[in-house]
Amino acid sequence: MNQPILELKHIVKEFFGNRALSNVSLTLMPGSVHAIVGENGAGKSTFIKILTGAYSKTSGEIYVEGQPISQMDPMVSKKLGIHCIYQELNVANDLTVSENVFLGNQPVNKFGLIDWKKMNSDTKDIFASLQLRIDPKQLVREISIAQKQMIEIARAISQQAKVLIMDEPTSSLSDREIEILLALIEELKQQGIGILYISHRMDEIFRIADTVTVLRDGQHIKTMPLNQVSGVDELVELMANRKVADYFNKVEAPIGEPVLKVEGLNKRGVLHNISFELRKGEILGVAGLVGSGRTEIAMALFGLLKKDGGTICIDGKPVDIRGPRDAIKLGIGFVTENRKETGLTLKMSVRENMTLPTLKQFDRFLWINRKEETGAAEVYRKLLNIKTTTLEQTISNLSGGNQQKAILARWMIQGTRILILDEPCRGVDVGAKAEIFAQISKLAQQGVTVLMISSEIQEIVGMSDRVMVMKEGHMAGMLEKSMITPDHILKLAFGGATSA
Amino acid sequence: MLKANVIAQEQGQAKWKQISAFLFNKGSTAIGLILLFVLMSFASSDFLTVDNLLNVFRQSAVLCIMAVAMTFIIISGGIDLSAGSQIAVSGVIAAGLIASGVPVLLAIIITIAVGAGIGFFIGTVISTQKIPPFIVTLAMLTILSGVAFVYTEGNPIPINDAFFRSLGRGYIGPIPVPIIIMVVVAIIGHLLLSHTRFGRFIYAIGGNEEAARLCGIRVNWVKTGIYVFGSMVMAIAGILLASRLSTGSPNAGTGSELDAIAAVVLGGTNLFGGEGKIVGTLMGVAIISILNNGLNLLDVPSYNQLMIKGIVILAAVWFNSMKSRRASAA
């Protein structure tokens, strides 16, 4: 009787021979919510992009309302009524609400000018049907994030959307706004729209989803009606990845005296009462979902985030870190998660990028001693096996892995005692990954204290002496060596019950 | 067919490719300059004479000194639209001080110090208030021009001091003094940019300000320093121009910031910051000066000269942007 609005069968997506998705199938009924869950890198985004036509599938079949779709591209996808609300909102702040709803589709009058009256009244009608109250004439700049999201949903409806994909729609909403959104989703269900709901927040999924599909490493693990799921733990168990890659070669380092002590670190709305201690030669893994406050801890330690409260002590002495300069003087190094935006100066050479924070040590009066500078860079080029024709090569010509090694070298030249790594192997090929991890391990042996943030559970499990798990700005738990397993980490990160 | 032949041919082609790629990427300004030079030599019999060339250099001294300062500013990702007004202000201040009996050397030092003050103000506003350099210096262009007119009450101040006049007009042996000053400024500029931390930080800030900050560079200080240095050099250019004209005129230097910016961009410096060399700027200055001189020699009316100059600048910038698009596509 009821025909699925969307059916995907055996979808495979390969990137240069690497499988990002293998054999994923999914059926979406009109008027239902189908949740997709999985840890970072499980293949959720790839899956969405195939649906919206951003990527083309390697093999598999897509049916929309029973019709096979051979070629999917963004235009076709829109025409078929598939719309996606992304995490980053896609609205023009300086236009009115109704202009945003009808962006690119503004109704025109017989003179070819925009028919404002019709546009505003149509917008009003759509909002009324969704039981929302937003003034169509208001500037989008003046409304809340949640309301902006509503605009995107209204835009999809105005274009006769049949399938609505929501990618982490609640990540930047307050509790009250989440309630409004969830109520809106109920309303959309009533109108017969099929919703694919991607979220890390288990409580939401249990409230609104009818069906859930679990992905792991691009594999389709299981699809089941939500009323047959016993609880959060069952889903987390399915998502957890027990496979630990063997390229870490972590060598146990002798762990020495305490070096860094953080007590009661607070930042309103971001970090709540974070306390931990780090010892010489120790690697502390920091796990948690994106937005859980992991990066913010690093930023606070490096003086990039002004804390509201708490103390940071180095070698037992309280320190006041007001900016990167103070942090560097105290022997802290920071490898940021976004190499191109906050790490490298892409137009400069490999050498210049390597010595940027330590240039002073090559200074002779007013002069940079180029010979010494090149000498130091050369030592670390060899040590880290940075593949470049010469040190004078512009760094943008290097591969991601080699760029990352150059940044690591930057802090090694500095003689960093406390090294903060935020996603140290993002966008790095497997070979370079192994080399970078081996180097991190070696640094720990030499007595460097490492704080490593990662979204890859295997990296955390493979490298850490202890693991701190963050959740919504709080420390969800601190796992000692024997307790570090993907299961424990994920349970803490997702907030299920744990035996730890 | 002989295999060795094919290989040799391929190697030859590869070599040619390398050479043409190098010329296309690094040498385009130099090639443009040489072409222009050859063209002018044929077009006018008066061009290729020692007298004329020395004249070209002497006249380009003020522009060249301004362009050196502008190179620093543009590499850092900034711009200084008030450079022309700074020329006027420093010229009238120097002239005013000399006219009121201040010893020449002291007058020069005070003028350069005032320049430093102007640069400090511009740099501080830009770096601490986060107002775009374009806006700050656009406002300064008007303000400083006003200052020059108020200070002189609109009348040029004549300068009679012989030593002061010799700065812009004198010779040491056969070489005009302004050329010596120009060369010294250019060499200092080059050394600062490529051999000191200050210079390295300028490139870093222009290339990626956030990354520079995360490397512990005091971005605000360095930025302020750039404008202080820049405005001091502009003051030197202003003194030189006043000396050449033997007058401190509130009208002097008007619009010359655009020539300076054009010379920097012609020299291959990236208008968005992070890349550039003094050597390139020198070539850019030479192109503009030779163009001016050549068109004069050819009796091209001055209004037509404006059009030709504009077209050359547009073509050069277009060529540069095509280059960087190619580079990013590769």
Side-chain angles (χ1 to χ4, degrees):
Chain A
M1 33 144 264
N2 228 343
Q3 191 189 29
I5 196 163
L6 180 69
E7 227 181 332
L8 294 107
K9 289 183 181 162
H10 316 298
I11 299 292
V12 174
K13 175 67 189 172
E14 291 181 350
F15 293 101
F16 311 109
N18 293 322
R19 281 208 162 183
L21 281 180
S22 50
N23 201 14
V24 178
S25 301
L26 181 147
T27 305
L28 180 66
M29 302 302 284
S32 75
V33 175
H34 193 135
I36 302 176
V37 298
E39 58 163 303
N40 300 322
K44 293 170 298 183
S45 319
T46 313
F47 189 72
I48 296 172
K49 282 179 178 159
I50 283 173
L51 267 178
T52 57
Y55 291 162
S56 55
K57 59 187 187 321
T58 306
S59 68
E61 295 147 53
I62 302 177
Y63 298 88
V64 175
E65 297 183 305
Q67 298 296 314
I69 308 297
S70 55
Q71 194 62 41
M72 196 64 126
D73 66 41
M75 293 288 281
V76 173
S77 170
K78 275 259 164 68
K79 231 174 247 166
L80 290 167
I82 301 172
H83 289 259
C84 184
I85 316 288
Y86 295 99
Q87 246 166 308
E88 287 89 29
L89 293 175
N90 205 355
V91 290
N93 275 321
D94 294 307
L95 299 182
T96 66
V97 169
S98 62
E99 280 178 289
N100 265 288
V101 170
F102 285 95
L103 204 62
N105 284 310
Q106 295 95 332
V108 292
N109 59 24
K110 57 189 173 201
F111 301 114
L113 301 172
I114 290 176
D115 189 343
W116 286 89
K117 229 181 217 167
K118 183 168 161 38
M119 195 161 78
N120 286 334
S121 72
D122 284 0
T123 305
K124 211 173 210 167
D125 290 346
I126 293 170
F127 282 135
S129 79
L130 298 174
Q131 313 206 349
L132 293 172
R133 247 177 294 158
I134 304 174
D135 179 5
K137 292 177 190 162
Q138 208 172 3
L139 272 186
V140 167
R141 186 175 294 291
E142 296 161 0
I143 66 177
S144 70
I145 293 176
Q147 286 177 319
K148 287 179 188 176
Q149 209 164 37
M150 308 296 169
I151 287 178
E152 289 215 49
I153 294 169
R155 186 191 294 160
I157 304 233
S158 79
Q159 294 171 20
Q160 272 77 47
K162 291 171 194 149
V163 176
L164 206 53
I165 305 166
M166 296 183 157
D167 188 3
E168 297 284 351
T170 55
S171 59
S172 47
L173 301 187
S174 69
D175 288 347
R176 212 177 59 81
E177 291 171 329
I178 290 174
E179 290 306 316
I180 298 172
L181 181 75
L182 296 186
L184 175 60
I185 289 173
E186 285 299 329
E187 196 62 43
L188 293 170
K189 272 169 83 168
Q190 298 301 319
Q191 297 191 10
I193 291 172
I195 295 165
L196 280 180
Y197 194 85
I198 290 102
S199 180
H200 276 314
R201 302 202 179 174
M202 292 295 149
D203 47 338
E204 286 164 19
I205 286 169
F206 277 90
R207 273 183 59 185
I208 59 158
D210 302 297
T211 322
V212 61
T213 289
V214 181
L215 299 182
R216 185 174 74 213
D217 292 335
Q219 307 270 353
H220 186 171
I221 302 302
K222 202 169 184 182
T223 295
M224 52 191 162
L226 215 82
N227 51 29
Q228 287 176 22
V229 181
S230 65
V232 174
D233 282 0
E234 187 182 344
L235 279 186
V236 169
E237 210 114 320
L238 288 169
M239 283 155 59
N241 192 341
R242 268 153 252 265
K243 189 189 75 195
V244 173
D246 53 1
Y247 52 68
F248 293 106
N249 302 318
K250 163 97 164 88
V251 182
E252 296 309 318
I255 291 178
E257 69 275 17
V259 174
L260 175 74
K261 193 171 180 187
V262 173
E263 237 171 342
L265 185 64
N266 267 303
K267 173 77 187 174
R268 205 168 308 121
V270 183
L271 293 174
H272 308 283
N273 200 22
I274 308 294
S275 300
F276 60 92
E277 196 180 59
L278 266 175
R279 291 162 175 277
K280 202 173 168 196
E282 187 177 33
I283 300 179
L284 176 71
V286 180
L289 303 173
V290 173
S292 61
R294 302 174 311 187
T295 299
E296 284 74 8
I297 293 179
M299 287 169 67
L301 286 175
F302 208 63
L304 295 168
L305 186 80
K306 209 169 159 252
K307 60 183 196 286
D308 293 330
T311 52
I312 298 170
C313 294
I314 291 178
D315 297 332
K317 284 186 223 89
V319 290
D320 184 20
I321 302 171
R322 292 205 193 136
R325 210 179 154 75
D326 292 343
I328 292 168
K329 271 191 193 144
L330 289 163
I332 304 176
F334 185 20
V335 177
T336 59
E337 68 184 314
N338 196 330
R339 203 165 41 242
K340 290 200 169 141
E341 271 160 36
T342 53
L344 299 169
T345 304
L346 285 167
K347 289 169 191 158
M348 285 180 138
S349 69
V350 179
R351 164 180 57 83
E352 289 168 323
N353 268 290
M354 282 166 85
T355 57
L356 203 49
T358 45
L359 214 45
K360 195 171 187 177
Q361 78 189 52
F362 306 109
D363 243 9
R364 295 292 164 272
F365 295 108
L366 297 167
W367 217 247
I368 298 170
N369 187 328
R370 186 69 66 80
K371 219 180 202 171
E372 270 184 43
E373 188 198 356
T374 308
E378 183 59 30
V379 166
Y380 286 94
R381 185 186 73 78
K382 284 210 185 98
L383 190 69
L384 290 168
N385 189 24
I386 298 172
K387 294 189 187 78
T388 172
T389 46
T390 99
L391 284 170
E392 303 310 309
Q393 174 84 268
T394 310
I395 200 154
S396 58
N397 294 328
L398 266 59
S399 73
N402 287 307
Q403 290 179 348
Q404 196 72 348
K405 286 186 205 165
I407 295 186
L408 201 57
R410 175 189 280 178
W411 298 114
M412 289 167 73
I413 295 175
Q414 142 87 6
T416 293
R417 300 175 55 216
I418 302 169
L419 185 61
I420 305 169
L421 306 160
D422 196 355
E423 304 283 2
C425 286
R426 174 174 288 176
V428 167
D429 60 281
V430 179
K433 232 179 218 181
E435 287 174 332
I436 291 173
F437 283 125
Q439 200 57 53
I440 294 170
S441 180
K442 209 191 266 171
L443 285 171
Q445 272 178 284
Q446 290 163 5
V448 175
T449 304
V450 180
L451 190 141
M452 186 181 95
I453 300 166
S454 177
S455 293
E456 304 287 329
I457 299 271
Q458 302 101 306
E459 291 179 9
I460 295 276
V461 174
M463 291 297 292
S464 307
D465 294 307
R466 278 189 302 156
V467 174
M468 178 161 78
V469 185
M470 296 293 296
K471 181 176 183 266
E472 290 165 13
H474 294 271
M475 271 177 72
M478 180 70 90
L479 299 170
E480 296 299 327
K481 184 87 195 172
S482 59
M483 296 294 291
I484 301 175
T485 65
D487 267 13
H488 285 138
I489 294 170
L490 279 176
K491 274 179 189 157
L492 286 169
F494 282 99
T498 177
S499 50
Chain B
M1 186 155 57
L2 281 172
K3 209 172 174 187
N5 255 346
V6 177
I7 291 172
Q9 200 181 346
E10 274 174 3
Q11 275 175 346
Q13 278 170 357
K15 208 167 192 185
W16 171 239
K17 249 187 204 163
Q18 266 179 358
I19 292 170
S20 62
F22 173 80
L23 290 179
F24 186 73
N25 287 322
K26 305 261 162 147
S28 55
T29 312
I31 291 175
L33 179 58
I34 293 167
L35 279 179
L36 187 67
F37 195 88
V38 172
L39 206 72
M40 287 301 173
S41 309
F42 281 108
S44 165
S45 56
D46 298 326
F47 178 75
L48 200 59
T49 59
V50 175
D51 276 356
N52 184 53
L53 289 181
L54 270 182
N55 190 31
V56 170
F57 275 123
R58 208 183 50 187
Q59 288 186 344
S60 63
V62 172
L63 174 63
C64 183
I65 292 169
M66 288 177 77
V68 167
M70 196 66 86
T71 307
F72 276 66
I73 293 166
I74 292 180
I75 289 175
S76 78
I79 193 119
D80 189 352
L81 297 176
S82 67
S85 299
Q86 291 179 32
I87 298 294
V89 165
S90 43
V92 299
I93 287 178
L97 289 172
I98 293 168
S100 61
V102 176
V104 174
L105 267 179
L106 186 60
I108 290 173
I109 290 169
I110 292 174
T111 305
I112 294 176
V114 170
I118 292 171
F120 183 77
F121 178 77
I122 294 175
T124 312
V125 172
I126 288 171
S127 59
T128 63
Q129 304 307 309
K130 312 287 172 216
I131 305 174
F134 185 91
I135 303 295
V136 175
T137 58
L138 185 63
M140 287 307 282
L141 171 125
T142 315
I143 295 170
L144 293 174
S145 176
V147 168
F149 277 103
V150 169
Y151 183 79
T152 58
E153 294 169 344
N155 304 312
I157 305 170
I159 301 169
N160 295 315
D161 184 88
F163 171 71
F164 191 83
R165 286 167 69 154
S166 73
L167 292 175
R169 307 176 138 200
Y171 287 82
I172 292 179
I175 305 168
V177 178
I179 293 184
I180 295 170
I181 297 177
M182 167 180 99
V183 170
V184 169
V185 169
I187 288 175
I188 291 175
H190 168 76
L191 294 179
L192 271 178
L193 266 185
S194 54
H195 290 283
T196 69
R197 273 195 293 156
F198 179 59
R200 191 76 65 82
F201 292 168
I202 293 173
Y203 285 102
I205 289 171
N208 187 342
E209 188 171 328
E210 189 55 22
R213 197 162 71 96
L214 291 180
C215 283
I217 296 170
R218 282 179 284 206
V219 172
N220 286 357
W221 288 34
V222 176
K223 272 189 172 176
T224 306
I226 293 164
Y227 286 93
V228 169
F229 171 79
S231 294
M232 284 166 74
V233 175
M234 296 296 179
I236 294 172
I239 289 168
L240 218 56
L241 184 63
S243 161
R244 201 173 82 202
L245 302 172
S246 302
T247 320
S249 161
N251 284 316
T254 312
S256 58
E257 65 276 350
L258 298 181
D259 272 349
I261 293 168
V264 173
V265 174
L266 278 174
T269 295
N270 188 329
L271 203 44
F272 299 105
E275 285 176 300
K277 288 241 164 349
I278 293 293
V279 179
T281 296
L282 297 183
M283 289 194 275
V285 170
I287 289 177
I288 289 187
S289 308
I290 291 177
L291 206 58
N292 277 338
N293 175 263
L295 294 174
N296 275 333
L297 290 178
L298 295 173
D299 288 327
V300 177
S302 63
Y303 297 148
N304 301 31
Q305 287 190 18
L306 286 178
M307 293 195 289
I308 294 171
K309 250 166 67 180
I311 289 167
V312 168
I313 290 167
L314 190 60
V317 175
W318 168 76
F319 191 74
N320 268 342
S321 79
M322 192 173 68
K323 240 166 48 181
S324 58
R325 253 179 292 149
R326 269 202 192 186
S328 62

